[in-house]
């Protein structure tokens, strides 16, 4: 219940702030974002010692702007999550969870005409489409290495900062870093279960290009 109220409050705050600005001629962009998930891991409770990993993250981006400083951005991404471990004897274990995810963000932007900084905030949902794991440790594997993933549906909140360069005729190039904190759990976390928490977490780094669908060349005139 508290998690749902947090998401609702975040969206209401962003909506109320954006309502303070006048509408302008709309901008519509579509393109791609490509990057990596840095240190994708699961927040286990009780704690599990995890190692650093890098996995793929990318997809399609749609952005709609109708106010001076605010817009809405939606994406469809293929994102690899999960976790990795290393035993004291040097054995390695990797559990990769591939998700199809749908983020919806409030896009807040500021800066000069061609070069802008921005913030993206919002919730996302994701569905597990592939589950790949290596063999558990030969000695004393943790329960997380032998336990089946319980929940194929997951949801989270994220925040990101980035900058973009707007070209005169085509669209814009961008770079963005995000932190994604899962509100769901990959295992059941009821009383008596193995874990009290098991949520996906990651930092994602993305670069991409957005094409200006409406071709507003007059916007770039000095």
């Amino acid at each position: 219940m508290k998690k749902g109220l947090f998401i609702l409050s975040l969206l209401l705050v962003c909506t109320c702030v954006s309502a303070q600005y006048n509408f302008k001629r709309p901008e519509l962009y579509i393109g791609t974002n490509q990057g990596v998930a840095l240190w994708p891991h699961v927040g286990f409770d009780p704690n599990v010692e995890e190692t650093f990993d890098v996995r793929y993250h990318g997809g399609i981006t749609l952005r709609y702007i109708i106010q001076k400083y605010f817009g809405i951005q939606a994406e469809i991404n293929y994102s690899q999550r999960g976790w990795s471990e290393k035993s004291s004897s040097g054995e390695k274990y990797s559990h990769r969870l591939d998700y199809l995810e749908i983020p919806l963000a409030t896009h807040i932007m500021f800066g000069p005409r061609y070069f802008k900084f921005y913030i993206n905030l919002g919730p996302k949902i994701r569905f597990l489409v592939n589950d790949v794991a290596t063999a558990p440790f030969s000695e004393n594997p943790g329960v997380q290495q032998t336990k089946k993933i319980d929940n194929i549906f997951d949801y989270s909140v994220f925040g990101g900062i980035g900058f973009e360069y707007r070209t005169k005729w085509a669209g814009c190039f961008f770079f963005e870093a995000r932190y994604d904190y899962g509100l769901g759990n990959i295992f059941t976390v009821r009383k008596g279960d193995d874990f009290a928490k098991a949520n996906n977490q990651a930092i994602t780094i993305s670069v991409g290009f957005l094409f200006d669908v409406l071709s507003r060349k007059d916007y770039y005139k000095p």
Side-chain angles (χ1 to χ4, degrees), residues 11 14-16 18-19 23-24 26-31 60-75 102-109 118-123 158 164 166 176 178 210:
L11 293 176
C14 293
T15 302
C16 290
S18 64
F23 290 103
K24 68 184 188 71
E27 301 174 39
L28 178 63
Y29 298 89
I30 187 169
I60 299 172
T61 299
L62 178 68
R63 182 189 296 169
Y64 182 67
I65 298 173
I66 199 171
Q67 296 182 355
K68 186 175 181 180
Y69 300 106
F70 293 88
I72 296 174
Q73 182 166 305
E75 300 168 8
I102 304 175
L104 180 62
T106 296
H107 181 75
I108 307 168
M109 56 187 173
Y118 65 83
I119 299 171
N120 281 329
L121 298 169
F158 67 92
E164 65 181 41
R166 297 189 170 193
E176 181 179 349
R178 291 181 182 176
L210 297 178

Side-chain angles (χ1 to χ4, degrees), residues 7 14 19 25 39 52 64 106 110 126 137 139 145 209 222:
I7 296 175
C14 293
R25 185 184 296 182
W39 195 42
F52 179 81
Y64 182 67
T106 296
F110 49 93
R126 51 178 165 250
F137 293 160
E139 296 182 3
Q145 295 183 10
F209 176 78

